[in-house]
Amino acid sequence: MDSAATAKVNLLGMPRAELEGFVAGLGAQPFRARQLMKWIYRRGESDFARMTDLAKDFRERLAAVAEVRPLDIVTAQASADGTRKWLLRAPGATGIEQAIETVFIPEPGRGTLCISSQVGCALDCSFCSTAQQGFNRNLSAAEIVGQVWLANRELGMSPDGARVITNVVFMGMGEPLANYRAVLPAIQVLLDDLGYDLSRRRVTLSTSGLVPQIHRLAEDCNVALAVSLHAPNDALRDELVPINRRHPIRDLLEACWHYLEKQNGRNITFEYVMLDGVNDRPEHARELARLLAGHEAKVNLIPFNTFPGTRYRCSTPAAIERFREILLGAGVMVTTRRTRGDDIDAACGQLKGRVLDRTQVRLGQKLISVSVQA
Ligand code: SAH
């Protein structure tokens, strides 16, 4: 018998309806699923034996066939500014050990957890170091939700009993919409009031622009959407975000406005990495403003995080400021990312170049930026 056939079912990341079906299969009432969810997500319990309001024989049946198991922590780091980072072991599809990372960014009044959705990425954006690493495999819903479960356990409760993780962003390693099958149930658990009970505005999915999946997402859930635009025209975007050759800007924006309409969302964030001399000129800002003006859009300017072997440099602070002012002048909302947790990157090979106003964290072998703006 192969090991997959004997493996226990990991309950992490299982949406409520599915969990109800699962407990029914064990001969229990559906409300047992609700009790289980409270134990798993509210109390962070993984040991069925300690779930004392469940009948003892049901706990034993559960323990025989199910488990609550996050990925193993390889290393945990804490920055002087309170940013925390966990390197998690993700067994690779080829049997080679891989790792992903989860990052917690505290701010006054909020705590943002940045999670990964894949081991590596297949999309090949030219300014992203994950692209150099290639794609290994999708994470399961258990591995995605498990990052939140682990971070919750590691962070503990805040002294006043308030939740520590208030926001979750899919801005770690991977393209979440390329792993729709696991990301959707994971989102359902994040939003479920018996799961992490996060409001839809506090869960952000960032995508490089998989148009069919954006349309599908509009039908299936209503989280906040962030889109990695990075260029105001197809010629430039084809080069920076190659998926643009399949799903050009026009189709992408149409999907975005449809998403907003369907979800009655507040706005869509367009991420725009600032690359010196590539996409940061005043004419790019004006072209971008023309694309977005009149829509519920917000631009998040991301100072480029450099990495070994890249041909790009980050725009100068003056160029970023000029770009920002042109957008603001055209009536487009803009935020710029801030630096957090850069001291803990030193240990895992943080690069020397530092740019003002950015969040810089290393995810696995990937250097990313995490938006910590509203
Ligand atoms: N695959 C998703 C989520 C990934 S990363 C997406 O593309 O949106 C989150 C953000 O970091 C994306 O906007 C991505 O384009 C950006 N990013 C990737 N590499 C970067 C780098 N070296 N410097 C700054 N931002 C980067």
Side-chain angles (χ1 to χ4, degrees):
M1 206 186 293
D2 75 17
S3 62
T6 56
K8 292 182 178 180
V9 176
N10 195 343
L11 301 186
L12 276 174
M14 195 184 273
R16 195 193 298 203
E18 204 181 312
L19 190 59
E20 283 172 353
F22 182 76
V23 301
L26 297 179
Q29 300 276 341
F31 77 92
R32 296 294 178 201
R34 299 198 284 277
Q35 283 177 304
L36 257 174
M37 286 184 81
K38 279 193 203 162
W39 279 108
I40 296 171
Y41 302 112
R42 296 255 177 93
R43 302 188 195 152
E45 185 57 72
S46 56
D47 183 353
F48 298 119
R50 284 206 281 263
M51 301 184 181
T52 45
D53 56 1
L54 301 176
K56 196 155 179 288
D57 64 325
F58 178 52
R59 283 184 262 158
E60 283 164 4
R61 258 175 292 148
L62 274 172
V65 295
E67 61 186 355
V68 176
R69 195 152 69 91
L71 293 171
D72 294 331
I73 298 177
V74 182
T75 57
Q77 287 176 281
S79 156
D81 70 11
T83 300
R84 303 271 297 262
K85 193 177 66 156
W86 298 275
L87 181 69
L88 306 175
R89 184 171 297 120
T94 51
I96 300 164
E97 287 283 294
Q98 307 273 344
I100 55 150
E101 280 195 358
T102 304
V103 178
F104 176 71
I105 304 142
E107 288 180 288
R110 85 154 88 185
T112 302
L113 193 72
C114 175
I115 59 175
S116 298
S117 57
Q118 297 182 310
V119 183
C121 188
L123 288 184
D124 209 23
C125 299
S126 63
F127 55 88
C128 180
S129 63
T130 299
Q132 297 184 334
Q133 189 184 350
F135 174 72
N136 186 273
R137 69 173 174 90
N138 283 325
L139 292 179
S140 65
E143 290 168 332
I144 296 170
V145 171
Q147 295 171 64
V148 185
W149 192 90
L150 258 184
N152 245 329
R153 189 187 72 189
E154 296 296 301
L155 293 165
M157 287 300 281
S158 85
D160 60 359
R163 63 174 79 194
V164 178
I165 297 170
T166 60
N167 294 60
V168 172
V169 296
F170 285 84
M171 291 187 188
M173 194 183 265
E175 166 51 51
L177 291 185
N179 184 15
Y180 200 93
R181 210 193 325 180
V183 165
L184 184 64
I187 288 173
Q188 287 166 346
V189 171
L190 294 176
L191 299 182
D192 193 313
D193 54 0
L194 295 178
Y196 287 106
D197 192 23
L198 293 168
S199 90
R200 67 197 186 94
R201 297 196 201 292
R202 290 176 177 273
V203 176
T204 302
L205 183 145
S206 179
T207 178
S208 56
L210 302 191
V211 168
Q213 287 88 335
I214 293 174
H215 283 296
R216 200 169 151 197
L217 195 70
E219 302 301 318
D220 292 342
C221 79
N222 53 10
V223 290
L225 195 62
V227 173
S228 295
L229 192 59
H230 304 315
N233 59 62
D234 285 327
L236 189 52
R237 195 164 190 270
D238 281 354
E239 194 188 304
L240 300 178
V241 186
I243 194 75
N244 193 69
R245 294 175 201 153
R246 204 182 311 161
H247 306 300
I249 292 175
R250 213 182 122 168
D251 297 354
L252 175 58
L253 292 182
E254 189 189 286
C256 290
W257 311 141
H258 171 255
Y259 187 85
L260 269 185
E261 204 175 301
K262 186 90 191 165
Q263 294 307 336
N264 199 14
R266 203 161 38 176
N267 59 44
I268 288 183
T269 299
F270 291 93
E271 293 153 294
Y272 197 99
V273 65
M274 297 300 291
L275 303 170
D276 185 31
V278 175
N279 65 352
D280 66 346
R281 298 201 199 97
E283 60 264 32
H284 295 127
R286 286 191 285 270
E287 208 176 353
L288 181 61
R290 281 197 295 277
L291 286 179
L292 303 181
H295 292 283
E296 299 301 313
K298 185 178 82 178
V299 175
N300 192 202
L301 299 179
I302 314 173
F304 172 64
N305 291 319
T306 186
F307 54 88
T310 181
R311 60 181 184 276
Y312 298 111
R313 281 186 319 247
C314 183
S315 306
T316 63
I320 296 175
E321 187 51 27
R322 190 177 53 195
F323 202 92
R324 196 178 82 93
E325 278 167 10
I326 293 171
L327 290 174
L328 284 175
V332 178
M333 274 192 285
V334 196
T335 53
T336 308
R337 282 189 188 176
R338 301 169 26 202
T339 305
R340 297 295 301 271
D342 43 355
D343 56 338
I344 53 175
D345 288 330
C348 60
Q350 187 189 30
L351 301 147
K352 289 179 206 106
R354 275 229 200 159
V355 187
L356 280 175
D357 235 9
R358 71 180 175 188
T359 294
Q360 191 180 61
V361 286
R362 184 172 277 279
L363 260 97
Q365 295 171 37
K366 177 196 177 201
L367 196 62
I368 66 139
S369 279
V370 179
S371 176
V372 291
Q373 305 271 335

